[in-house]
Amino acid sequence: MQKIDAVRGLKDLFVSALNGGTTVVEEIHTAIARRPFEALELDPATRVPAAAVRMVHDAIAGGVYWSLRSLMELAGDAADWALTPLEQTQPAEEEPLPPALDLAISALNGFMGDHLERNRNGLRTRMEFRHEGRTVALDAETLRRTYPRAGRKLAVFVHGLSCNEESWRFYSEETYGDRDTTYGSLLEQDLGYTPLYLRYNSGLHVSENGALLAEKLEELIDAWPVAVEDIVLVGHSMGGLVARSACHQGKQRRNGWIGSVRHIFCLGTPHLGAPLEKLGNLMGWALNVSDLTRPIANIVNGRSDGIKDLRFGYLVEEDWRGRDADALLKDNRHDIPFLDSAAHYFVAATVTESPSDPLGFILGDMLVRFPSALGRGVQPTRRVSFRAANKSHLGMTTHLRLLNHPAVYDQIRFWLEPAAAALTTLGESE
């Protein structure tokens, strides 16, 4: 993302927020004013003067709010004009943004990335592979230059909601004394996997990101310097759903990369939904009951498509297409099977030592409950099947800590080591 794009995006977002805020105030004002006018209009003695006053009130109020919005649009146009000369001085190459700003933009995309995409806002995140803060073009020359030790085994890391590829560095310094130590760097060092880090707009539907990831992996494999024999997908939280969706859609499209996927890891993934999104759905529904609180309900219900997909763990377009996204706790999730050619693993955490502890059962890792990460709902029909040997629980741990934890890496390595050794032996024999 160019800095001028970020500046323009912030400007557009600011103007949009002011306009939206003005509209909310207008709707609340109108709802409040309607009540006394309607009461007066019921009385024959005050009906005519009340109607006349109401007409004048509505005209003045409407004019004031229209003027405010118009002034904001003019200010936005003036800012566009002022920024135009700066575009000509922008460097052709991408300039990395400060990490804090970069993460803030990713967080913003999580909450309203669908809105940013629809409005072509400069802050919208595009799906891309990233290396050392820059976009990696998926052509053979760039890949050879970026990954000089490119091998036949790839580990693709897919972050969660409102994060980006830098989130895999969380806790590195306090754990290892080195911010560059991640699951990817350790897998490269210990098992010879080339790590690739994905960035995507987590505010879009999971199914949309799944389709985009399937396309990106097809481009990647076609241009990779050597033949790829083993792909490991590691998804944290929403990233696990995106990885599963990509595999499902890639198989349907008969993508070439599907045959190389051997292992899929889901770390704290809400296969059956996340409680905070269910709570958001309930709040939006309750606020929508009254016309006084309906404008606030519109704000609550304005959260992104990606967040709403987390309510029940939606993976495919059929889950949401043609549905009311704000219907009260309506579960339209389809049963999507796991990729049959790959082994699937999950790591779940609880804030208590044991997942059977009542507090741990309720809170899970503070964002995803243990049964959801396990793929096991209360109802017999609400479950997905994991092999017993492919499950691991981490106690006294929170959701974000799963991004970089020695015990999680040890478990991933334990599961991968036999397959990696077998592939290495096969390669040597050839």
Side-chain angles (χ1 to χ4, degrees), residues 271-308:
H271 297 285
L272 301 180
L276 284 180
E277 165 49 25
K278 291 183 174 72
L279 179 60
N281 173 234
L282 178 60
M283 288 178 58
W285 178 85
L287 289 168
N288 198 46
V289 171
S290 168
D291 60 347
L292 287 174
T293 56
R294 192 162 296 132
I296 301 173
N298 292 336
I299 295 175
V300 173
N301 290 334
R303 63 197 184 280
S304 71
D305 293 332
I307 291 178
K308 292 180 181 181

Side-chain angles (χ1 to χ4, degrees), residues 99-403:
L101 176 59
D102 204 22
L103 188 57
I105 291 173
S106 295
L108 179 68
N109 273 264
F111 284 98
M112 56 183 305
D114 53 343
H115 171 83
L116 298 178
E117 181 62 35
R118 282 194 298 270
N119 290 280
R120 314 303 292 171
N121 187 286
L123 293 174
R124 70 189 187 280
T125 296
R126 281 86 159 180
M127 181 174 284
E128 56 196 15
F129 286 101
R130 306 276 294 183
H131 181 75
E132 296 182 354
R134 288 181 167 82
T135 303
V136 178
L138 299 183
D139 61 80
E141 182 180 346
T142 301
L143 291 173
R144 274 194 295 269
R145 185 173 62 251
T146 306
Y147 305 100
R149 294 184 295 174
R152 298 179 297 158
K153 300 184 296 184
L154 308 182
V156 178
F157 292 87
V158 189
H159 62 76
L161 177 70
S162 291
C163 290
N164 60 34
E165 74 286 351
E166 290 298 309
S167 62
W168 296 102
R169 298 178 188 269
F170 288 178
Y171 305 101
S172 290
E173 285 203 37
E174 66 182 73
T175 303
Y176 303 102
D178 172 17
R179 73 177 300 271
D180 291 328
T181 301
T182 64
Y183 298 149
S185 68
L186 291 170
L187 285 177
E188 183 175 34
Q189 170 189 296
D190 296 341
L191 301 179
Y193 283 91
T194 302
L196 296 137
Y197 296 95
L198 185 77
R199 173 179 292 198
Y200 66 97
N201 182 346
S202 57
L204 300 181
H205 280 293
V206 167
S207 59
E208 293 176 310
N209 279 316
L212 290 171
L213 177 54
E215 293 174 7
K216 287 291 182 184
L217 286 172
E218 189 79 345
E219 291 180 48
L220 175 76
I221 300 307
D222 287 344
W224 194 249
V226 297
V228 175
E229 297 182 6
D230 185 5
I231 298 175
V232 172
L233 298 176
V234 183
H236 175 254
S237 194
M238 176 189 278
L241 298 179
V242 172
R244 286 187 57 201
S245 180
C247 288
H248 176 71
Q249 297 185 66
K251 183 177 180 180
Q252 286 187 319
R253 299 172 185 178
R254 301 182 184 278
N255 287 157
W257 60 271
I258 282 291
S260 300
V261 178
R262 302 281 185 264
H263 310 273
I264 300 172
F265 292 87
C266 298
L267 313 180
T269 296
H271 297 285
L272 301 180
L276 284 180
E277 165 49 25
K278 291 183 174 72
L279 179 60
N281 173 234
L282 178 60
M283 288 178 58
W285 178 85
L287 289 168
N288 198 46
V289 171
S290 168
D291 60 347
L292 287 174
T293 56
R294 192 162 296 132
I296 301 173
N298 292 336
I299 295 175
V300 173
N301 290 334
R303 63 197 184 280
S304 71
D305 293 332
I307 291 178
K308 292 180 181 181
D309 280 351
L310 295 180
R311 193 180 312 156
F312 294 107
Y314 286 176
L315 295 179
V316 293
E317 185 176 327
E318 293 78 10
D319 292 338
W320 56 266
R321 178 69 69 185
R323 313 280 188 175
D324 179 3
D326 300 313
L328 180 60
L329 298 177
K330 180 65 175 177
D331 184 0
N332 299 308
R333 175 182 172 273
H334 289 70
D335 185 22
I336 303 302
F338 288 100
L339 184 65
D340 52 11
S341 59
H344 294 75
Y345 314 84
F346 92 92
V347 178
T350 57
V351 293
T352 55
E353 188 67 39
S354 170
S356 59
D357 184 294
L359 186 63
F361 182 81
I362 294 170
L363 297 180
D365 62 15
M366 298 302 292
L367 289 178
V368 176
R369 294 181 63 239
F370 187 76
S372 182
L374 183 70
R376 186 178 62 204
V378 176
Q379 301 174 11
T381 56
R382 299 291 290 129
R383 59 181 64 226
V384 288
S385 299
F386 286 96
R387 286 179 52 202
N390 294 351
K391 306 173 186 178
S392 179
H393 166 255
L394 201 61
M396 306 297 289
T397 304
T398 57
H399 189 69
L400 289 179
R401 194 65 176 92
L402 291 172
L403 282 160

